[in-house]
Structures are given as C-alpha cells and as structure tokens.
Amino acid sequence: MTLKKLSQIAVSAILIGGMLAGCSNQGDNGAATTVPKATDAAVKKEEKVKLTFWRNSGNDSENAAYDKLVASFMEKYPNISVEMTPIPYSDYDTKLRVSIASGSPPDIMALDAPTLASYANAGALKPLTAYFKADGNMDDIPKSTLATYTYQNEIYMAPLTESSIAMFYNKKLFQAKGIPLPSKNPDEPWTWDQVLDAAKKINDPKSGVFGIDPAQGFNNAGATAYFKYPIIWQFGGEIMSPDGKTAKGYLDSPKTKEALQFFSDLYNKHQVSALEYPPDPFPNGKLGITIDGSWSLSYLNDKFPNFKLGEDYDIAPLPKGSAQAVANGSWALGISAKSKYPDEAWKFVNWVTGQDGQKTYSSMTKDIPSRYSAAKEFPELNQYPKNVFVVQNQKYGRPRPITPVFPQMSEAVNKLFEEVTIGKRNIDTSTAEAIKTIDKAYADIEAQKKK
C-alpha cells in the first residue's frame, strides 16, 4: 500500500530482547485553526527546563502542525523549551531503540499504538494514569481508545488522532445488478452474508470484474492486523488473551476458525475475491466492494476526479457477523521513564493531545481527532461520509492485541491467513503452528527479562 496512513500501520520489530533487555527494570476541515488555550496558572519563575521530543517525520501538513503546537506551547511556557527532532520513518525505530538502550532517550516520544506493550514491558515508558486522572479529561476519550494505550492497568500514551476503515462499494455496479444499496448509518451495517450475496452477483471474472477485496489483499503483517483482525472479531473470535500472554484458547477458538474459513471461502469456494487485481481496480470499475480507509477519500478525489462519491461509489459501515468491530489506535505521545522532567513533559503532551491541540492538529492535517470534543468541532466529521469512520471508531473500536510480542504475533497471524487462503492448508494445523510461534515468542521475552 502506498497511502500515508497504511504505511503507519505497518509495525516494525521493536524493543524486544537485545538492546532493551537492560531497560526492563527501569484550517480547514470545517473549523478554524486554533492553538490550545491556557488551562493552568501563570508559569512558575523557576529554572528553565529543556525537553527533547522525538517523532517520525510526516508530510508537510503534519510537520507544520507540530511546529505550530511546539511554538504555541513555548510561548505560553517560556521556562520550558521543547527541542523537537523529526526522524524519517524508516530510521525512527532503530534510533529510538538505541537511545533507550544507551540510557539517553528523549523525554517525549511518538509511538504507534501496537508498539505500546513492547515499550511498557521493557520499562521504557512512564505510566500516565495519574496525570490523566488529574487533568487529562479522560471522559473525553472513548474507553476503547484509552484501552488501546493501556498495559497492565496503566495508561502509557496519550492519543492524538485516529483512522478507520469502512466498506466502499461501486454504486453503478450495484444498480446494474439490481442490488439494494447498503445503509449509510454507522449503526446499521450489512452482514457478511449480505456482502457475499452482493459480491456473487457482481462477480464476473471473464470480464475482469471481481466481487470483493475483503482486506486489502495480502500485504505486510501490519496491514493484516488492521484489516483482517476486525473480521475475526466480527465473527466473535479473538487473537490473544486479554493479558497478551498467549494465543492458546483464542486464536484456535471455534469463532476464530469460522472467520478464517469464511475469509478463505471468499477466494477458494465462492471465488469472488482474487489474489491479484489490476492497478486501482475499485475506481476503474473492476471491483464491486473493497474495505478501505478514511485516507482513501482524498486519494480517490485527487487521482480519480471522474469517479465521484455519491454518483459512482458510496461508503457503508464495515460488515458484521455477530458483532460490529473495527481496529483502533494510531500514533500517540509517551514520556520516557528516564525523563528528569516528567511533569513538564506531561504539560507538553497534554497541550498537544488536549481538545484544542487536537483541533489545531486536525485542522491542518485533516486527520480524525481521538477526542469526542475535538471531533465535534469539525462539521464534516459529523456528516456523511466521514461520520461513518468517526462513529465506528468511537462506538465499535477495539485495540489490536496489547502484547509485547505484537510483531511476532502479527507475522504469525499474517502467515495463518496466507496459508489457509493461498495455500489452502488445514485451518487446525495452521492455527496450531501460529499459536506455537506466538507463545514461544512470549516465553522468550519473559526469559530474556529474567537474565
């Protein structure tokens, strides 16, 4: 995938064993651009504090938004300076690992949601629960979002934005086949059986037209986690235990296997999905249904101006089996466990991720704010089509498994989907092997911690 947000979904192997073992003990969008409002008393006349802040470098709008937030923070708090260091995405993880292992991490760091447990388990992050309870306005954040940044009952990161996925469908292909159009109401999704029925009617491989791409094909493990885990949840299945220690009894549950079988059948039994598609099959009329992200709205608008929302395609909530579910979590801010100035660091984190900070950031980046109050500030986020993504995330969002072996787990589950679908392998056999791989990874990291 070449889209910005999907590149952020890919999870690199991080903070497990090796160098980190020594750490284990430890404006538009419908609203005007604003800067956060002052919420506390006048700045104390004390010695100047210098905070270091590392983040992955983003696009021009993201960089400009951070520049604005840092500048406004330092104007309000002249005794606190923030030295921000944007680092290219490809180098970010390695540099951060090295800084933590060497005992000189930045005071504040941006992290992708699935990496939380790895950092927290290694003792690299300071718990933020007490800060949130004091002035973090926790009720303004969906409980499922806070759960994404919680490990062993402690909140470790402050969310800034969200992204989400939905069902995109070719309206003209539906109408040509006499298929009733899905509801646009985020609370009224089609069932997967309804989706399958529509995909069968649209499917015409001889003409190069396919019914559905259910999860953005077969890409990296990060994409698997974002697009395929919801299918497991929608069928009532799970991937790992709530404490993130084992996949046994979860990945091999009957409901999870049912989801895997349904997914495989789309390709092998019903043949409404293909292992390979031509370039941009959806806007080019070669794909009836695709599951895609909120970020694709601008992509389709920019690259395919003649393929119009409302005329050629529309958006509906993700399908459901027995339940609605979508993966949540994006990049967020955490504080180093080794920071000498955690209180000042929290001031900055709370400034950036509070209501006004999120409003500033999202006004410039067009991202979805993670706070209820900030999302309400943007009229377009409360109207179709973007309300589909926002409401789904707020009401039906779920954390991807919070485990220190997330990279290994993602690879194992990615392989599982490939084996049962592409390789047509026995689900029980492949699932057992995936569980063995995941549970061994967890045992290895626990053994490493004890050394």
Side-chain angles (χ1 to χ4, degrees), residues 117-132:
S118 295
Y119 283 86
N121 188 63
L125 292 172
K126 181 176 181 61
L128 302 181
T129 310
Y131 289 117
F132 264 105

Side-chain angles (χ1 to χ4, degrees), residues 10 59 105 120 143 190 224 236 255 262 334 336 364:
N59 57 35
K143 286 183 171 59
W190 265 14
T224 293
K255 293 297 184 181
F262 180 86
S336 169
M364 300 174 71

Side-chain angles (χ1 to χ4, degrees), residues 29-301:
N29 239 352
T33 300
T34 61
V35 295
K37 298 171 184 174
T39 56
D40 38 10
V43 179
K44 296 178 182 179
K45 301 297 183 180
E46 298 174 348
E47 63 177 292
K48 295 207 171 194
V49 169
K50 179 180 178 181
L51 299 174
T52 52
F53 168 38
W54 286 15
R55 64 176 180 86
N56 62 309
S57 57
N59 57 35
D60 290 344
S61 62
E62 291 169 340
N63 294 335
Y66 268 119
D67 286 341
K68 187 177 187 69
L69 287 166
V70 169
S72 64
F73 175 80
M74 290 194 295
E75 182 179 355
K76 168 60 186 170
Y77 298 100
N79 291 330
I80 306 174
S81 66
V82 178
E83 182 183 88
M84 181 171 60
T85 304
I87 299 171
Y89 180 80
S90 58
D91 299 328
Y92 185 70
D93 182 60
T94 300
K95 289 182 179 293
L96 193 55
R97 277 189 298 167
V98 170
S99 74
I100 293 170
S102 65
S104 56
D107 294 287
I108 304 156
M109 59 191 82
L111 302 172
D112 198 6
T115 69
L116 159 69
S118 295
Y119 283 86
N121 188 63
L125 292 172
K126 181 176 181 61
L128 302 181
T129 310
Y131 289 117
F132 264 105
K133 289 181 177 179
D135 63 353
N137 196 7
M138 295 170 63
D139 292 340
D140 194 30
I141 304 171
K143 286 183 171 59
S144 61
T145 299
L146 275 180
T148 296
Y149 304 102
T150 301
Y151 180 65
Q152 295 183 349
N153 299 316
E154 289 281 3
I155 303 170
Y156 281 95
M157 293 197 287
L160 177 58
T161 62
E162 277 289 4
S163 60
S164 191
I165 57 178
M167 187 176 84
F168 291 56
Y169 62 94
N170 187 305
K171 194 172 181 179
K172 291 185 175 179
L173 288 178
F174 269 58
Q175 292 170 334
K177 297 294 182 178
I179 303 170
L181 301 181
S183 171
K184 297 176 182 178
N185 187 333
D187 297 315
E188 297 177 355
W190 265 14
T191 66
W192 273 109
D193 286 338
Q194 288 175 294
V195 172
L196 175 59
D197 182 64
K200 286 179 177 179
K201 292 176 179 176
I202 292 168
N203 201 53
D204 186 6
K206 291 182 180 179
S207 301
V209 177
F210 294 92
I212 180 173
D213 180 356
Q216 291 295 305
F218 295 87
N219 293 291
N220 56 53
T224 293
Y226 204 67
F227 284 92
K228 296 185 177 70
Y229 290 5
I231 297 175
I232 291 177
W233 298 330
Q234 288 154 9
F235 276 80
E238 297 289 348
I239 297 101
M240 289 193 74
S241 59
D243 59 12
K245 294 181 178 180
T246 181
K248 184 67 177 174
Y250 299 89
L251 193 59
D252 56 353
S253 70
K255 293 297 184 181
T256 299
K257 291 180 181 180
E258 181 184 352
L260 287 166
Q261 187 65 63
F262 180 86
F263 185 87
S264 175
D265 286 347
L266 291 175
Y267 291 83
N268 299 312
K269 179 181 178 180
H270 307 299
Q271 297 182 359
V272 294
S273 301
L275 297 178
E276 292 185 10
Y277 298 97
D280 292 305
F282 183 66
N284 285 321
K286 299 299 183 182
L287 187 60
I289 302 169
T290 187
I291 306 301
D292 211 338
S294 52
W295 54 88
S296 287
L297 292 170
S298 58
Y299 175 79
L300 291 172
N301 184 62

